[in-house]
Amino acid sequence: HLPRFAREEEIELRDVRMVDVLESALATFDDRVQRLGGRIEREVDPAGTMRGDPEKLRRILLNLIGNALDALEQSGTEGPAIRVLAGENLAGTELWVRVKDNGPGMAPETLDRIFSPFYTSKESGTGLGLAISKKLVDAHGGSIEVVSEAGRGAEFLLTFPKLRREEAQR
């Protein structure tokens, strides 16, 4: 992960249907979710399209969903579940994606540091997954936020402009 974090990655823009990116990322975890005895609930607007790099967007989602599964697995959460929701804002200018789990949540001191490079709360983590994800979200002109409370799960909110700033000004 270190070389990936250290270099500037080129974003190859094209029209991307967020539902396709989400389904591709979620399919990666089918076996793991089954082994865990968990479920992933989807509530996705299939019409949401944006300008972005589908592989970079997929990597962001893989990281968020993988982290949620790690937390559920490590905590032994009963009835492990992840909700993935996606849609667009009322103005039709942005797409949003929420990844929410019913896991152990995070303490405030963890929340303050999770996007910092090399910070990890995992035994075998590198501390680069969320830092890289944030960097990729920023490169798309988007934002990433997290809300969590110890014992009450975690929720990540991604927001992306449907068009890049320079494209919208044309």
Side-chain angles (χ1 to χ4, degrees), residues 7 16 20 22 24 35 43 49 54 57 60 68 81 103 105 121 133 135-136 147-148:
R7 74 173 185 264
V16 178
D20 295 338
L22 275 168
S24 172
R35 279 193 313 272
E43 197 173 312
T49 302
L57 294 168
I60 295 165
S121 58
S133 293
K135 190 175 173 181
L136 292 173
V147 176
S148 183

Side-chain angles (χ1 to χ4, degrees), residues 109-165:
E109 56 274 10
T110 299
L111 283 174
D112 291 341
R113 301 181 64 197
I114 62 170
F115 296 112
S116 300
F118 308 110
Y119 175 78
T120 184
S121 58
K122 298 179 188 177
E123 287 179 25
S124 62
T126 63
L128 289 173
L130 286 173
I132 291 170
S133 293
K134 181 172 182 357
K135 190 175 173 181
L136 292 173
V137 168
D138 292 346
H140 279 84
S143 66
I144 182 169
E145 301 170 38
V146 61
V147 176
S148 183
E149 198 176 309
R152 299 189 150 257
E155 179 176 2
F156 284 82
L157 172 63
L158 305 168
T159 307
F160 298 102
K162 289 180 77 173
L163 293 175
R164 302 280 300 230
R165 193 173 295 127

Side-chain angles (χ1 to χ4, degrees), residues 9-18 21 50-61 136-137 139-141 160-162 164 167:
E9 293 190 61
E10 267 191 56
I11 303 294
E12 296 179 26
L13 295 177
R14 62 182 72 123
D15 289 338
V16 178
R17 285 178 21 129
M18 187 56 77
V21 175
M50 65 176 276
R51 295 285 292 164
D53 185 319
E55 188 50 39
K56 306 291 190 303
L57 294 168
R58 184 176 183 273
R59 282 198 349 231
I60 295 165
L61 294 167
L136 292 173
V137 168
H140 279 84
F160 298 102
K162 289 180 77 173
R164 302 280 300 230
E167 294 174 314

